[in-house]
Amino acid sequence: MCGRYATARARQELLDEFRIELDETVAADGADLLQPDYNAAPTKDVPAVLVRPPHGADTPEEAVRTLRMVRWGLVPSWAKDLSIGNRMINARAETLAEKPAFRRAFARRRCLLPADGYYEWYKGEDGKKQPFFIHPKNGELLPMAGLYELWKSPEDAWVWTCTVITAQAADELGHIHDRMPMTVTDPDTWLDPSLTDTSAAASLLVPAAARGLEAYPVTKAVGNVRNNGPHLVAPLPADPPAPSDTPDEEGTLF
């Protein structure tokens, strides 16, 4: 599954890349809600691109492309509390139209979740786990396909939540983990809330590998959600030569 990712692009880059018409990542008090996050984890707020009528509008014709922060871990409208979202961070592409938690959102509330790349943990033969950062080779953004929902809390506050859609990993990355995020072939159609045909929406989904991904090992510090910063996505240095391959002072091998 996709359980950690990095989303650290500047606001203007996201506004330009996704042709945003309404930026809701600035709070009413002026606080900047959009901050670089190299260790986005479940229950944290992450940026999402979606199309819907702004507050106060209620017709589909008024829908605009919006950038806003949403809580990672989808909470269906019928859920009793937020905790169910902890089990809904990923939605399997194979069963989106069937699962009660996802099928309504799949029909009307699709989104894109901008990422620089995502992390997966590879378990070696010795049983130890090594995190890898998987990202587009060309350095471009990875807009992960997602769904969002609105859940009303007991205090009558609306909570926006999301999930990342995943599928079977491509062969070249499947040895690290057997699932990977999905992206879409046509973002405009994917985001269009008037498209309610789930079969048509499903036809737009493609594995993230289609964007040309590469993977490299990174520091295990990413395993602690309290750690953050660009050092988390830095490649680990190459292993030093083994002693048997190291010349001594006279130029011969030990």
Side-chain angles (χ1 to χ4, degrees):
M1 68 178 181
C2 177
R4 295 285 177 87
Y5 67 95
T7 176
R9 301 300 173 106
R11 168 179 280 101
Q12 193 59 51
E13 184 174 354
L14 296 181
L15 298 181
D16 294 342
E17 176 77 17
F18 296 103
R19 307 194 317 275
I20 299 299
E21 301 168 276
L22 177 62
D23 180 8
E24 294 190 334
T25 63
V26 178
D29 60 3
D32 188 353
L33 305 178
L34 180 63
Q35 298 292 331
D37 192 346
Y38 293 89
N39 203 357
T43 75
K44 295 177 73 173
D45 286 346
V46 295
V49 177
L50 48 94
V51 175
R52 63 179 291 116
H55 181 70
D58 52 14
T59 63
E61 292 76 16
E62 297 176 275
V64 296
R65 190 169 292 207
T66 304
L67 179 68
R68 67 168 299 125
M69 306 302 292
V70 297
R71 177 188 170 104
W72 187 10
L74 188 138
V75 180
S77 59
W78 41 261
K80 294 183 178 180
D81 58 69
L82 277 174
S83 64
I84 192 174
N86 299 339
R87 307 192 303 274
M88 304 284 184
I89 64 171
N90 290 165
R92 297 175 70 93
E94 300 89 338
T95 55
L96 283 175
E98 304 167 13
K99 296 291 185 180
F102 302 127
R103 61 190 179 197
R104 290 180 61 187
F106 187 35
R108 296 183 179 276
R109 288 179 287 279
R110 298 175 298 272
C111 65
L112 293 172
L113 302 167
D116 295 275
Y118 63 100
Y119 302 97
E120 290 293 3
W121 276 255
Y122 171 72
K123 187 175 182 180
E125 294 181 359
D126 58 1
K128 295 181 180 179
K129 292 184 177 181
Q130 171 61 53
F132 279 73
F133 185 60
I134 305 172
H135 68 109
K137 295 177 183 178
N138 58 13
E140 292 183 353
L141 269 168
L142 177 62
M144 300 186 297
L147 308 175
Y148 73 95
E149 267 291 5
L150 286 85
W151 179 77
K152 199 168 189 178
S153 73
E155 295 74 33
D156 286 335
W158 287 106
V159 181
W160 296 65
T161 65
C162 71
T163 188
V164 176
I165 299 174
T166 68
Q168 192 71 26
D171 289 345
E172 62 269 26
L173 296 172
H175 73 284
I176 298 176
H177 195 276
D178 63 353
R179 306 290 294 180
M180 70 164 43
M182 296 290 270
T183 185
V184 297
T185 57
D186 184 346
D188 292 342
T189 303
W190 174 256
L191 293 173
D192 186 354
S194 68
L195 174 66
T196 58
D197 183 340
T198 54
S199 295
S203 71
L204 303 174
L205 289 166
V206 293
R211 292 183 173 260
L213 303 180
E214 66 178 2
Y216 56 76
V218 294
T219 173
K220 293 182 179 180
V222 71
N224 187 330
V225 72
R226 292 188 293 271
N227 295 327
N228 216 315
H231 66 285
L232 297 181
V233 300
L236 289 181
D239 292 334
S244 60
D245 296 327
T246 305
D248 63 13
E249 294 181 353
E250 297 180 356
T252 60
L253 294 177
F254 292 109

